[in-house]
Amino acid sequence: MFDRDFEWAQLVMFAADARPGAALGVVSGRRRQGKTFLLRALCQAMGGFYFAAEEAADGESLRRAGSDLAAHLGAPAPLDFGDWREVADALLALGRDGPVPVVIDEFPYLARANASLPSILQNAFGPLRAEREQSRTRLLLCGSALSFMGGLLAGSAPLRGRAGLELVVPTLDYRLAAEFWNISDPVLALKVHAIAGGTPAYRREFARDDTPTGPEDFDGWVMRTVLNPASPLFREARYLLADEPDLRDIGLYHSVLAAIADGNNTRGGIGSYIGRKSGELAHPLNVLQDCGLIFREPDAFKENRSTFRIAEPLITFYHAVMRPIWSDLEHTRDASRLWQRSQRRFTSNVLGPHFEQVCRHWTRHFAAEETVGGIPVRVETATVHDVRERANHQLDVVVFGLEDEEPEPVIAIGEAKWHEVMSMTHLDRLRHIRGLLAAQGRPGAPGARLLCFSGAG
């Protein structure tokens, strides 16, 4: 297990809670993050029951539940359940003698086949119900369909108020990913992270522990893994969309993601790219956000302006580099020529935006107070209007500090360039923008720190 100490501790604490009464927990996170590994290990360590749902008809899933539970109990024949209410009571009965973890993995598959399942569990875990009060079953529902799992406990959902644990298993950040891939060179680490992100399975199962031996092996690694039609990573980005049940018009969602990967990350820019009015994009953008595939980044100084970013680096790489040459990639045994032809798009559409995002993440979570001039509470991008020059200046990093006053003061601004050496020209530009912010009366702007980030020096 790598860097899942917090998640493991929370699961053990929940599962080992000896207080009377059954408890319900929800575990979610994007695919390939190790949720199943954690939950299987929990059941193995504590003698719990693990049930992995599959895409199947409701009746078949009921039979499988009866068969798996009988095997767990050592019964001579499968248990015959008439409905899921009987299954819920049988799971509660497992905890009569003490706390025990019970896991239903890929719960969205079951709920898709039987929409009443959340309501059945709501009644099973109802207050003052004898079966619940006499049980110490710790039931964990797990799933990767983020839109569905996020809605389980939201608003007027049946299970709202029933859960005692809501655990999200995140992807590894860029520092942990570098450690996980065993890469010490920072430039190489960022290049790999810009493609594979922080998903553990992409190294272990998908690339079979094939990691770049050094900076000179990066191109070879890309062609051995991501651009290799025989590698699972080759089609993974397409499967990530296909796995989401809420994405019905797959072509439309691919087009939206392609627009963002091509640098058209405003609502108007996306609409122009795919030939739709910006007002028609509210639904697909909301669905992609609910699925965790994109996120909305507000402009620090313009409340009505925001940009959209792709949350999964592999999807950005696919749309920026692979999709335009997909047919050629599928039918070639040597992708070196295609990869060399794609270097400009990789640098400008993948590495550059990814480096900016990593710089914002570092500033928010790792930068010392002495560096940014205080405790950062928000780090965003921004557009600053210059009235005299009739121009807009883009800021890659705007840092807001922790103060009692409203609005929050600007404590630092910065620029990030992956392939440019930072010079006095960049610093003078930041000084000019700081002056514009001060003239606008932005709190803290006159003394804001100036930050230069570069991948080149």
Side-chain angles (χ1 to χ4, degrees):
M1 185 163 57
F2 179 87
D3 186 59
R4 296 303 187 200
D5 299 325
F6 172 80
E7 289 79 8
W8 179 255
Q10 296 301 311
L11 289 170
V12 170
M13 191 185 310
F14 175 79
D17 185 356
R19 288 176 292 182
L24 176 70
V26 174
V27 179
S28 62
R30 281 157 46 194
R31 292 192 180 280
R32 332 290 188 206
Q33 304 308 318
K35 302 184 299 299
T36 295
F37 178 85
L38 283 168
L39 294 173
R40 280 187 178 275
L42 182 73
C43 290
Q44 184 177 0
M46 302 184 67
F49 172 61
Y50 176 89
F51 176 68
E54 297 177 353
E55 289 189 278
D58 192 49
E60 182 187 358
S61 296
L62 267 177
R63 284 194 296 275
R64 282 197 57 245
S67 176
D68 288 7
L69 187 55
H72 173 74
L73 296 172
L79 301 178
D80 185 17
F81 293 123
D83 56 36
W84 287 103
R85 292 177 180 83
E86 295 179 5
V87 175
D89 286 342
L91 297 181
L92 290 175
L94 294 176
R96 284 178 180 167
D97 298 329
V100 60
V102 174
V103 172
I104 300 180
D105 203 355
E106 296 298 352
F107 180 71
Y109 289 156
L110 298 181
R112 201 182 308 166
N114 188 334
S116 65
L117 197 50
S119 296
I120 292 172
L121 292 177
Q122 176 196 29
N123 294 327
F125 281 78
L128 303 180
R129 187 172 184 266
E131 288 83 351
R132 175 187 179 275
E133 297 297 324
Q134 296 167 7
S135 170
R136 279 177 282 182
T137 290
R138 306 303 180 225
L139 178 62
L140 291 159
L141 307 178
C142 179
S144 302
L146 295 187
S147 56
F148 177 87
M149 297 302 293
L152 271 181
L153 307 177
S156 58
L159 293 177
R160 179 169 174 78
R162 293 285 192 265
L165 176 72
E166 186 176 5
L167 182 66
V168 177
V169 179
T171 59
L172 304 176
D173 67 38
Y174 71 99
R175 287 186 168 190
L176 289 169
E179 184 181 346
F180 184 72
W181 282 81
N182 196 28
I183 300 174
S184 58
D185 181 84
V187 173
L188 177 62
L190 191 125
K191 285 182 174 181
V192 171
H193 191 260
I195 297 176
T199 299
Y202 290 166
R203 178 192 170 180
R204 294 292 190 215
E205 288 84 5
F206 284 57
R208 295 189 300 173
D209 283 329
D210 182 353
T211 64
T213 57
E216 70 287 343
D217 187 41
F218 174 71
D219 291 340
W221 174 81
V222 171
M223 289 181 286
R224 292 193 304 270
T225 55
V226 196
L227 300 185
N228 178 3
S231 167
L233 274 175
F234 183 75
R235 295 176 179 84
E236 172 67 2
R238 296 162 72 102
Y239 293 157
L240 286 174
L241 265 69
D243 285 343
E244 289 293 340
D246 291 338
L247 303 186
R248 292 179 175 83
D249 187 353
I250 293 294
L252 172 61
Y253 295 105
H254 270 298
S255 294
V256 171
L257 292 168
I260 298 173
D262 199 46
N264 305 281
N265 50 19
T266 64
R267 195 183 294 262
I270 297 169
S272 298
Y273 184 91
I274 67 176
R276 296 274 185 107
K277 295 179 180 179
S278 59
E280 299 174 359
L281 296 175
H283 177 70
L285 289 173
N286 287 337
V287 171
L288 286 171
Q289 287 183 82
D290 291 342
C291 294
L293 295 176
I294 67 173
F295 61 93
R296 176 179 169 274
E297 197 170 65
D299 188 292
F301 303 127
K302 295 183 183 296
E303 294 182 1
N304 60 346
R305 178 184 169 86
S306 59
T307 55
F308 294 92
R309 315 280 183 189
I310 298 175
E312 173 55 60
L314 189 62
I315 293 179
T316 301
F317 182 79
Y318 165 74
H319 281 285
V321 174
M322 298 176 69
R323 195 165 178 248
I325 54 173
W326 183 257
S327 179
D328 292 335
L329 286 171
E330 279 190 309
H331 296 94
T332 185
R333 293 181 178 275
D334 181 7
S336 57
R337 179 178 56 86
L338 297 171
W339 173 234
Q340 290 305 315
R341 203 175 77 194
S342 303
Q343 288 299 305
R344 183 189 61 80
R345 291 182 63 81
F346 176 61
T347 300
S348 60
N349 292 41
V350 179
L351 274 180
H354 189 76
F355 180 61
E356 292 173 12
Q357 186 61 37
V358 164
C359 292
R360 287 189 287 272
H361 182 87
W362 176 84
T363 305
R364 175 67 179 86
H365 297 286
F366 298 117
E369 292 181 37
E370 295 78 11
T371 301
V372 296
I375 301 175
V377 294
R378 278 194 299 137
V379 179
E380 298 171 345
T381 61
T383 304
V384 181
H385 185 61
D386 189 334
V387 177
R388 178 179 298 178
E389 295 184 5
R390 297 182 181 179
N392 287 324
H393 298 284
Q394 301 296 323
L395 278 175
D396 300 321
V397 178
V398 179
V399 190
F400 294 91
L402 179 62
E403 297 289 347
D404 294 332
E405 61 186 271
E406 289 288 344
E408 298 155 331
V410 177
I411 60 174
I413 60 174
E415 183 168 9
K417 298 294 183 186
W418 170 251
H419 59 286
E420 291 183 23
V421 175
M422 283 292 161
S423 66
M424 290 303 296
T425 302
H426 297 91
L427 196 58
D428 289 340
R429 177 179 178 272
L430 288 175
R431 285 178 177 145
H432 176 65
I433 297 174
R434 180 173 62 182
L436 294 175
L437 295 175
Q440 294 173 5
R442 301 283 180 185
R449 301 287 177 90
L450 307 180
L451 308 176
C452 291
F453 301 88
S454 172

